[in-house]
Amino acid sequence: MTRHTEHAVWAEGLTKSFKETKALTGVDLAVRTGTVHGVLGPNGAGKTTAVRILTTLLRADAGRALVGGFDVATESARIRAQIGLTGQYASVDEMLTGFENLLLIGRLLGFTRPQAKTRAGELLERFDLSHAADRAAKTFSGGMRRRLDLAASLVGGPRILFLDEPTTGLDPHARNELWAIVRELVAEGVTVLLTTQYLEEADQLADEIAVIDHGRVIATGAPEELKSKVGGQVLYVRAERGTDVGVVKGLLAEVAGREVTAEGEGLTVPVTDTKVMPAAALRLEQAGIEVAEFSLRRPSLDEVFLTLTGAPAQPVEVPA
Amino acid sequence: MTALTATVPSPARQHGLAANLRNIASIAWRSLVQIKHNPMELLDLSVQPVMFLLLFTFMFGGQMSGSPQEYLQYALAGLIVQNSVFTALNTAVGLHSDVAKGVYDRFRSLPIARPVPLIGRILADMVKQVWAVALMLVLGLIIGFDLNGGIGGALASLALLLVFTLAMAWLNVLLGLVAGSEEKVMMFGFTIAMPLSFTSSAFVRTDTLPSALQFWAEKINPVTAIADSVRGLLDGTPVGHSVIVTLVWAAGLVVVFFPLAMRAYRAKLS
Ligand SMILES: Nc1ncnc2c1ncn2[C@@H]1O[C@H](COP(=O)(O)OP(=O)(O)OP(=O)(O)O)[C@@H](O)[C@H]1O
Ligand SMILES: [Mg+2]
């Protein structure tokens, strides 16, 4: 059997049910070593369940998964020695100080006391928590807890890091910091699997994205590939007068033959035919509508996501 | 800027007996150092036993036995046992909160043997038991308890209490794992521990009880056996029968609840 060493994480046909809830109905994943893999999905899609299976916290009902070349079902100890996990909810010990939390983990990883202390100090410093090193974690803000939690998952210098919705609940500044840390880790050769509900986050960080919905992967690819999968581009039109929106909407729908959606103050419609753009411009002109913005762009991941998950139950076959 | 992962020392082996013992000690350390940051737990562990001891001795003592001194001589053992039973509930509460707050997930994602977090917690809870027993004994001595059984008696009663609370720990592990919320853990625990400790020989002589209650207290309730044993050991009087009953109860608790607790512990995995 091949050890799939080119893939830090590899899974095939993972299923998991909780009583009658089918959390995973067949998840395949292939995360190349040294890359960031984004698992993107809405609430209840099965992201956490997948992460818990891959980190050996939960046993799959069926399917196979290798992490770092080891089988989650039979070699969990080997896997746990080389992964880090930051769960969706911060799992710091509230009654311990920041320093004690990291010290404990260092000790449980097999470091000597001095080694564990040094490592704890380094990480507190690096995560800007030195000032709170001797305060019980229950006094930490949400952002500080997340940082401590992330630091805790890095104590052992993991080669593969799992981050379950690492930026949920963080302010934009803290989120940018976390992104910077993820990039830094990748530069050091760490493989990162992160789940997120934020398309922007996947777009920013991930080399490859797996979109997951209702417990299965419905699309995979690099962010750019996913965007083009949805088909061509998107026409964005914003009328000068808000009262014209209704007319513009009808007009675009007619010209493009696709559903028009509101976005901010404007409207978007997917276009696959290059003739749509001049036709739309002409019709708007004829209708005497003053156009403030008229642009063609690639779809945002949000649009990709809506297109992909808007039609559940079947795997997407998006027209190219 | 230090590298995030480059400076990591290479860890020692994480399997084998030595590693397991070291990890158990680390987890136990964690439970004990928590007390430093949690005044409520200190209250639970120190103020409560002291308060009960003083209240029972000086409020009820006179009416119960003619004098506080006299009653203290009888009730100290019962108070210690009752406190042990309640302190044992900490195992359930602490375990439940660790599981609920994801601390156990963190532990389980580390390369340590699966039972280590559980054993570490139980070890720490035993240390807390020793502390509470010692505290009550010393305070008892200060307010006039006669330790006729000597140091030997005191150590023997401590050992017996530890055996019994260790056996109870598995019931508490089960409770902590299956209860839906921390409140339910507490409620269920108190609902068992409260009547059990009061319908025994812990605080009163059972010969004053109505016959059905007397039967329950003398023949069934294990708290009577353990309270009589501790009382006898502290007093230096013969205790053979009640010690055997206590040990049988302890064995029974282990036989029934250890497998159930371990099954629940493993089930949290899937
Ligand atoms: N322990 C459990 N017991 C019962 N049902 C569960 C359990 N864990 C997850 N589920 C169910 O499985 C499904 C997938 O849950 P999961 O937590 O994996 O989703 P998620 O993608 O992480 O969602 P979110 O974005 O809200 O975190 C949901 O329907 C959830 O209710
Ligand atoms: Mg989740």
Side-chain angles (χ1 to χ4, degrees):
Chain A
M1 187 208 82
T2 51
R3 271 292 183 176
H4 292 275
T5 38
E6 75 274 28
H7 288 128
V9 179
W10 178 91
E12 194 176 67
L14 293 179
T15 68
K16 180 74 192 176
S17 296
F18 299 101
K19 308 232 170 64
E20 67 283 3
T21 315
K22 290 193 174 117
L24 298 184
T25 54
V27 166
D28 303 341
L29 279 177
V31 180
R32 272 176 296 117
T33 303
T35 63
V36 181
H37 203 92
V39 173
L40 188 62
N43 286 135
K47 302 181 296 294
T48 298
T49 306
V51 167
R52 288 173 64 82
I53 289 172
L54 295 172
T55 52
T56 76
L57 296 181
L58 201 63
R59 249 193 269 284
D61 296 337
R64 268 191 80 208
L66 301 179
V67 174
F70 297 108
D71 193 319
V72 292
T74 54
E75 298 170 301
S76 58
R78 305 294 295 270
I79 292 173
R80 279 183 269 136
Q82 54 173 330
I83 62 167
L85 165 65
T86 300
Q88 185 168 358
Y89 306 101
S91 60
V92 298
D93 187 331
E94 307 204 318
M95 296 301 172
L96 297 187
T97 65
F99 181 77
E100 287 162 349
N101 263 291
L102 300 184
L103 176 64
L104 174 66
I105 289 174
R107 292 292 283 150
L108 293 175
L109 282 164
F111 297 163
T112 63
R113 205 160 228 288
Q115 282 174 336
K117 282 186 170 172
T118 309
R119 185 72 183 138
E122 271 171 25
L123 285 168
L124 287 170
E125 174 92 47
R126 184 63 188 73
F127 283 84
D128 202 16
L129 289 168
S130 296
H131 63 287
D134 297 321
R135 260 165 51 191
K138 66 182 169 189
T139 68
F140 283 23
S141 73
M144 290 166 74
R145 265 176 224 223
R146 289 236 69 140
R147 252 148 52 214
L148 181 61
D149 205 29
L150 183 59
S153 65
L154 293 177
V155 172
R159 301 315 301 154
I160 306 170
L161 184 63
F162 293 86
L163 304 175
D164 194 2
E165 298 196 24
T167 59
T168 303
L170 293 188
D171 65 29
H173 171 72
R175 196 183 53 189
N176 283 331
E177 280 192 343
L178 188 127
W179 288 358
I181 284 164
V182 170
R183 291 192 182 108
E184 207 176 308
L185 286 164
V186 172
E188 290 176 22
V190 177
T191 306
V192 178
L193 186 152
L194 70 89
T195 75
T196 181
Q197 302 185 29
Y198 304 121
L199 308 136
E200 190 197 353
E201 182 158 279
D203 200 8
Q204 284 279 335
L205 291 177
D207 299 297
E208 189 120 349
I209 295 173
V211 182
I212 171 172
D213 191 35
H214 291 98
R216 66 191 302 173
V217 177
I218 56 168
T220 54
E224 288 306 309
E225 278 168 22
L226 278 186
K227 287 182 198 170
S228 59
K229 250 194 200 175
V230 178
Q233 313 188 38
V234 170
L235 176 62
Y236 177 82
V237 179
R238 183 163 62 85
E240 188 67 55
R241 292 182 301 267
T243 46
D244 284 340
V245 167
V247 183
V248 176
K249 189 168 182 179
L251 215 147
L252 288 177
E254 196 188 315
V255 176
R258 301 280 291 267
E259 196 180 331
V260 180
T261 47
E263 184 184 304
E265 292 172 5
L267 297 165
T268 63
V269 64
V271 290
T272 39
D273 187 340
T274 46
K275 290 194 211 82
V276 167
M277 182 123 150
L282 188 65
R283 294 290 305 273
L284 288 166
E285 169 86 47
Q286 288 169 345
I289 288 164
E290 276 183 63
V291 176
E293 214 178 320
F294 185 88
S295 59
L296 197 59
R297 55 171 168 73
R298 315 204 71 180
S300 72
L301 263 176
D302 277 296
E303 284 147 349
V304 175
F305 193 65
L306 279 178
T307 313
L308 293 176
T309 59
Q314 68 198 43
V316 272
E317 289 293 340
V318 196
Chain B
M1 185 179 293
T2 53
L4 284 166
T5 55
T7 55
V8 180
S10 54
R13 286 172 68 232
Q14 275 305 77
H15 43 90
L17 184 64
N20 283 338
L21 290 178
R22 193 182 59 230
N23 292 335
I24 288 170
S26 295
I27 300 271
W29 166 83
R30 169 245 172 185
S31 273
L32 294 173
V33 85
Q34 281 183 333
I35 301 172
K36 202 169 67 182
H37 310 292
N38 188 4
M40 280 311 289
E41 192 166 354
L42 198 67
L43 203 73
D44 218 37
L45 230 62
S46 306
V47 178
Q48 209 156 287
V50 167
M51 188 182 73
F52 270 100
L53 180 52
L54 295 178
L55 273 178
F56 270 72
T57 305
F58 295 109
M59 286 300 297
F60 299 147
Q63 188 143 32
M64 294 285 232
S65 308
S67 77
Q69 232 54 46
E70 195 87 359
Y71 185 58
L72 176 66
Q73 201 62 31
Y74 180 83
L76 181 62
L79 285 159
I80 287 174
V81 169
Q82 186 199 35
N83 189 66
S84 278
V85 172
F86 279 92
T87 303
L89 286 176
N90 280 329
T91 307
V93 175
L95 182 61
H96 183 89
S97 127
D98 276 356
V99 172
K101 294 203 175 113
V103 175
Y104 261 62
D105 279 352
R106 163 75 64 207
F107 288 157
R108 285 178 40 218
S109 72
L110 297 171
I112 56 175
R114 285 257 145 102
V116 160
L118 190 58
I119 299 171
R121 162 167 296 284
I122 291 174
L123 179 66
D125 289 339
M126 301 298 275
V127 173
K128 293 176 190 172
Q129 289 279 0
V130 174
W131 161 253
V133 173
L135 181 71
M136 293 179 82
L137 256 180
V138 169
L139 183 65
L141 289 172
I142 291 172
I143 60 175
F145 181 78
D146 286 325
L147 187 57
N148 300 320
I151 295 289
L155 289 178
S157 59
L158 177 63
L160 191 68
L161 274 167
L162 289 183
V163 167
F164 191 72
T165 47
L166 188 57
M168 272 195 308
W170 304 110
L171 169 60
N172 283 300
V173 166
L174 182 67
L175 176 60
L177 289 173
V178 301
S181 68
E182 200 163 317
E183 287 71 36
K184 281 184 189 150
V185 175
M186 290 296 273
M187 209 179 67
F188 195 76
F190 269 76
T191 312
I192 299 180
M194 200 65 142
L196 215 55
S197 56
F198 276 100
T199 60
S200 73
S201 69
F203 306 116
V204 294
R205 292 200 169 76
T206 49
D207 49 22
T208 64
L209 303 178
S211 60
L213 202 52
Q214 188 176 0
F215 179 80
W216 156 258
E218 286 177 1
K219 302 284 188 262
I220 302 173
N221 190 348
V223 177
T224 296
I226 174 95
D228 287 350
S229 304
V230 172
R231 186 177 299 117
L233 289 166
L234 293 179
D235 239 352
T237 52
V239 288
H241 178 70
S242 53
V243 169
I244 289 166
V245 174
T246 303
L247 292 176
V248 168
W249 263 101
L253 284 171
V254 172
V255 167
V256 173
F257 290 108
F258 180 75
L260 290 175
M262 289 322 272
R263 206 177 67 178
Y265 191 62
R266 273 194 303 270
K268 285 274 160 189
L269 228 178
S270 53

